[in-house]
Amino acid sequence: MTMQNVGRPTRPEDVQPLAPAFASLTGGRGLLQDEALIFERDGWTKTGVDLPAADLDGSDLGDLARAAPIGLPGLSEPEAMRHYVRLSQKNHAIDLALYPLGSCTMKHNPRLNEKMARLAGFADLHPMAPLPTVQGALALMDRLSHWLKTLTGMPAVALSPKAGAHGELCGLLAIRAAHEARGDPRRRVLVPTSAHGTNPATAAFVGYSVTEIAQTDDGRVDLADLAAKLGPDVAAIMVTNPNTCGLFERDIIEIARLTHEAGAYFYCDGANFNAIVGRVRPGDLGVDAMHINLHKTFSTPHGGGGPGAGPVVLSEALAPFAPAPWVVHGANGLTLVEEAVEEAAQAFGRMSAFHGQMGMFVRAYAYMRSHGADGLRQVAEDAVLNANYVKARLSGVMTPAFPEGPCMHEALFDDSWLEGTGVTTLDFAKAMIDEGFHPMTMYFPLVVHGAMLIEPTETESKQELDRFCDALVALAQAAKAGDVDRFKGAPYLAPMRRLDETLAARKPRLTWKPESGVAPAPLAAE
Ligand SMILES: *Cc1c(COP(=O)(O)O)cnc(C)c1O
């Protein structure tokens, strides 16, 4: 029998006979119950709330009066609560365990941040509240702006972008506006082969054609190729630093110099700012625009499409084109620049209807203030230390993609160590689930074959890192020892086994249709 690290069997022949009668009765397992869609429960004839019958004259609504039932399932409070809590148990969460997704920075979200964000003065704000009544919120945005500019060494910041990719869009729109203001609209954006997919997508969305820059054998931007591809039609380069291989771009200053010499702007994808915050100021490296994922570096919650925030810092050259709104100090306190007049005459427009993600601003600011300057620097140092610990511990059994020298905040392995085992990166990742660990990022960056990108973050203890590494070492040894079934059928213990991800991506089922007998047929119009 093959056991995972808490002693549960992980082989098909060991798992399946575990009380099949129970499993087939309810679809449950352990204390986890199977859960139907909320629409598939028998809730159509009841309601979970007790309201007096509406005393309305339907004739006021004319032909807008509803003729058919509204078509929402009615659940009692315990049913509704259990439904969502059970669903949440089927998912992984940073509050459950280490979440080593490279490039995602899934780190602990301190509860202090949550407490601050729930203060009524922040949580109950309305975006259209009169400015004199929201001076505290404006002050927080102003302070957050101040520290983002200070930490990056940049003179301006746009807070309103709502995620990293939205920030990229903001930065490139500012770059486009700057070129157009000079009467020199350029056509091309250069992006390294290792870039996050959002970079070329953003450039294309803004209307640029994308040219790839090659990568050197040691995982950095190929300077000769960059120089060859720069030209008078290049509007910008987009470089991630530290890059998606988890490596610092050593030639970053030369990259900036070459770019500026060609009349182009330097967009830095700053999603990995957590690896350098407090140590390096991107403004000193020659960056013109950079988004900061508050939901990565500054620990605001993310995953599952939840709200992020992607403020963009801008250089002197791009600052005049920053989108509205921003906070200014007026004669009667703080106010917002909203219109493209006077000092904002060149603003390229807006990124969103209002100011951005206030809840994330509060969390990020709380995080900055509770860490202080020394704490933020230690965040970067510990993130890098933890990644190098993982790299060192796993290098004996797995093959690091770039063995030379230390990595930054994430450790990247390729799949050459799996050659001949019959086990793939995907199989290995799925087997990690049976060990109680969420898989690392797989098959990204694309430049590394069968990539496994592990970002432990600074919030994991050595003990937890050791548990994780012990599990991976044991799995790697099992793969090399030929225990292929353990991998091919994994995960054996998850509520959902292997899904057809291609089908799900190509033919997503986005609507629910009632099966006959489940939901009531709509009433005929009276
Ligand atoms: C996460 C990430 C992004 C995108 O950020 P979102 O907030 O998910 O839009 C872009 N680039 C890199 C390198 C990233 O890690």
Side-chain angles (χ1 to χ4, degrees):
M1 194 180 265
T2 309
M3 300 284 197
Q4 46 98 285
N5 65 0
V6 293
R8 291 211 194 113
T10 55
R11 290 292 298 263
E13 59 274 25
D14 299 333
V15 173
Q16 305 313 357
L18 281 182
F22 293 116
S24 63
L25 278 179
T26 63
R29 168 175 239 147
L31 285 175
L32 291 180
Q33 292 202 13
D34 203 17
E35 191 65 13
L37 289 180
I38 199 165
F39 300 103
E40 289 166 355
R41 304 176 60 100
D42 176 27
W44 297 96
T45 52
K46 62 184 192 213
T47 170
V49 290
D50 182 14
L51 296 174
D55 184 18
L56 279 177
D57 182 356
S59 64
D60 289 351
L61 296 170
D63 59 2
L64 295 176
R66 183 182 298 285
I70 192 166
L72 292 177
L75 267 60
S76 68
E77 184 168 313
E79 285 174 324
M81 197 169 65
R82 284 180 182 161
H83 175 72
Y84 289 107
V85 173
R86 282 179 191 156
L87 285 185
S88 76
Q89 287 182 315
K90 297 191 192 309
N91 232 328
H92 191 64
I94 189 62
D95 290 347
L96 285 171
L98 181 145
Y99 205 155
L101 276 183
S103 208
C104 295
T105 315
M106 307 303 288
K107 62 177 167 185
H108 171 66
N109 311 130
R111 288 305 178 268
L112 177 67
N113 303 354
E114 300 302 318
K115 191 172 166 187
M116 294 302 111
R118 281 167 176 70
L119 290 175
F122 293 127
D124 298 346
L125 279 180
H126 190 282
M128 295 181 82
L131 295 185
T133 68
V134 292
Q135 289 291 301
L138 294 179
L140 184 135
M141 290 167 64
D142 185 55
R143 292 284 81 202
L144 178 67
S145 300
H146 167 78
W147 287 114
L148 290 175
K149 290 185 285 188
T150 303
L151 287 166
T152 55
M154 304 281 277
V157 63
L159 287 184
S160 56
K162 296 192 174 179
H166 204 211
E168 292 170 29
L169 179 62
C170 173
L172 284 203
L173 287 173
I175 287 171
R176 190 176 77 180
H179 284 301
E180 283 173 357
R182 282 207 307 260
D184 180 19
R186 295 174 169 220
R187 294 264 155 267
R188 254 181 336 125
V189 166
L190 307 187
V191 181
T193 45
S194 64
H196 196 271
T198 50
N199 290 193
T202 300
F205 191 73
V206 176
Y208 291 115
S209 68
V210 176
T211 304
E212 277 193 347
I213 321 168
Q215 171 168 310
T216 57
D217 288 343
D218 71 348
R220 271 86 173 182
V221 168
D222 183 332
L223 272 189
D225 195 48
L226 169 67
K229 285 175 179 162
L230 276 167
D233 63 335
V234 171
I237 60 162
M238 297 180 86
V239 172
T240 306
N241 197 27
N243 67 25
T244 59
C245 297
L247 301 170
F248 194 83
E249 292 288 352
R250 278 188 232 105
D251 296 319
I252 191 87
I253 290 179
E254 183 61 7
I255 291 172
R257 194 189 66 77
L258 289 170
T259 301
H260 291 147
E261 204 174 71
Y265 291 105
F266 182 1
Y267 188 90
C268 181
D269 180 330
N272 299 332
F273 190 47
N274 55 307
I276 57 173
V277 61
R279 297 282 315 217
V280 180
R281 301 190 312 165
D284 298 339
L285 305 176
V287 168
D288 289 299
M290 181 180 97
H291 72 263
I292 301 162
N293 292 35
L294 297 187
H295 47 290
K296 293 179 181 169
T297 303
F298 298 105
S299 84
T300 73
H302 66 299
V312 176
V313 287
L314 297 166
S315 65
E316 212 73 69
L318 294 181
F321 305 96
W326 62 84
V327 179
V328 288
H329 294 254
N332 299 315
L334 297 168
T335 172
L336 285 172
V337 173
E338 301 258 23
E339 309 286 335
V341 291
E342 295 173 4
E343 66 168 298
Q346 290 183 289
F348 72 70
R350 302 183 72 97
M351 291 302 293
S352 59
F354 298 112
H355 327 95
Q357 305 280 27
M358 191 67 204
M360 299 303 126
F361 299 162
V362 179
R363 287 173 174 87
Y365 186 62
Y367 182 80
M368 287 178 178
R369 293 306 304 264
S370 55
H371 278 70
D374 56 337
L376 287 178
R377 169 185 272 249
Q378 194 182 341
V379 161
E381 291 170 350
D382 288 353
V384 172
L385 181 65
N386 278 1
N388 279 285
Y389 184 73
V390 170
K391 182 181 178 187
R393 277 220 50 197
L394 298 182
S395 288
V397 284
M398 295 163 63
T399 40
F402 301 100
E404 281 301 304
C407 59
M408 294 295 289
H409 59 301
E410 46 198 1
L412 177 59
F413 298 88
D414 64 23
D415 63 355
S416 53
W417 64 279
L418 283 170
E419 225 171 279
T421 60
V423 173
T424 64
T425 292
L426 179 76
D427 301 328
F428 186 76
K430 295 292 183 194
M432 285 171 66
I433 296 173
D434 286 332
E435 300 303 313
F437 290 104
H438 192 283
M440 68 288 269
T441 290
M442 299 178 287
Y443 301 106
F444 175 81
L446 304 176
V447 289
V448 167
H449 198 269
M452 293 168 233
L453 184 62
I454 301 174
E455 181 176 7
T457 83
E458 75 284 1
T459 58
E460 298 303 331
S461 64
K462 176 168 181 296
Q463 187 189 30
E464 188 60 19
L465 293 181
D466 278 331
R467 265 173 27 88
F468 175 71
C469 291
D470 289 346
L472 263 65
V473 168
L475 272 183
Q477 284 163 347
K480 288 179 182 175
D483 193 357
V484 178
D485 284 354
R486 178 172 183 178
F487 295 89
K488 284 289 167 204
Y492 292 107
L493 300 175
M496 290 290 157
R497 303 282 303 279
R498 288 220 189 180
L499 308 177
D500 188 339
E501 289 163 17
T502 311
L503 188 69
R506 300 284 160 181
K507 290 191 180 169
R509 281 173 56 187
L510 300 176
T511 54
W512 176 82
K513 289 202 192 73
E515 284 167 35
S516 59
V518 176
L523 291 182
E526 279 160 23

